[in-house]
């Protein structure tokens, strides 16, 4: 298939437990979902798992837990959007530190783009990834 065809347009909402079990559950569910959509490159899925872990860990640590996770595939892009209950928008720390602060640097390394937007009662943080070229 040529660029722009890939998996087509698909959207799913992932239910997650609250607290420290959320990142692991999110990794497993997002991987399962992407595989069912035909995105099966193991190296790429590994990178997605790292991004999901950091995204959901940030929700748990800084946002009071993840209120929702949406996964969208559109053409060659996959977008992950996580919602939490904190109105504080994320920002990259200069170098991280002993108590953390490296999550957004890790997300930035693997993502095409990421951002955050306020919502009533909290915020959404989104991450856009390009699908592995062999999967398009």
């Amino acid at each position: 298939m040529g660029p722009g065809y890939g998996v087509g347009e698909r959207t799913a909402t992932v239910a997650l437990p609250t607290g420290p079990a959320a990142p692991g559950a999110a990794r497993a569910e997002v991987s399962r979902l992407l595989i069912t959509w035909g995105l099966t490159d193991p190296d790429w899925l590994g990178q997605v798992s790292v991004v999901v872990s950091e995204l959901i860990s940030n929700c748990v640590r800084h946002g009071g837990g993840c209120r929702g996770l949406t996964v969208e595939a559109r053409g060659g892009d996959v977008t992950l959007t996580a919602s939490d209950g904190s109105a504080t928008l994320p920002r990259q720390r200069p170098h991280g530190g002993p108590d953390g602060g490296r999550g957004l640097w890790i997300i930035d390394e693997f993502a095409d783009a990421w951002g955050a937007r306020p919502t009533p009662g909290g915020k959404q943080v989104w991450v856009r990834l390009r699908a592995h070229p062999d999967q398009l």
Side-chain angles (χ1 to χ4, degrees):
M1 285 188 212
Y5 295 101
V7 296
E9 292 188 25
R10 298 181 188 222
T11 301
T13 301
V14 177
L16 298 175
T18 58
R27 282 190 309 272
E29 188 60 24
V30 169
S31 291
R32 183 199 64 73
L33 183 63
L34 293 173
I35 288 169
T36 64
W37 289 351
L39 299 167
T40 59
D41 180 81
D43 293 332
W44 181 81
L45 286 170
Q47 291 175 1
V48 172
S49 288
V50 170
V51 169
V52 168
S53 244
E54 294 300 331
L55 182 63
I56 302 306
S57 292
N58 284 346
C59 285
V60 170
R61 184 171 185 183
H62 304 291
C66 186
R67 292 184 172 177
L69 175 62
T70 302
V71 182
E72 297 177 82
R74 191 166 292 156
D77 292 337
V78 173
T79 302
L80 309 167
T81 304
S83 302
D84 67 37
S86 170
T88 303
L89 298 178
R91 61 178 176 77
Q92 283 183 324
R93 296 182 194 172
H95 300 289
D99 64 338
R102 293 182 271 309
L104 290 176
W105 288 99
I106 292 169
I107 288 172
D108 200 42
E109 178 70 24
F110 292 120
D112 257 11
W114 69 271
R117 57 188 166 257
T119 61
K123 68 175 170 299
Q124 290 181 330
V125 179
W126 58 270
V127 178
R128 188 176 62 238
L129 305 153
R130 299 289 293 153
H132 190 276
D134 292 345
Q135 300 177 127
L136 297 176

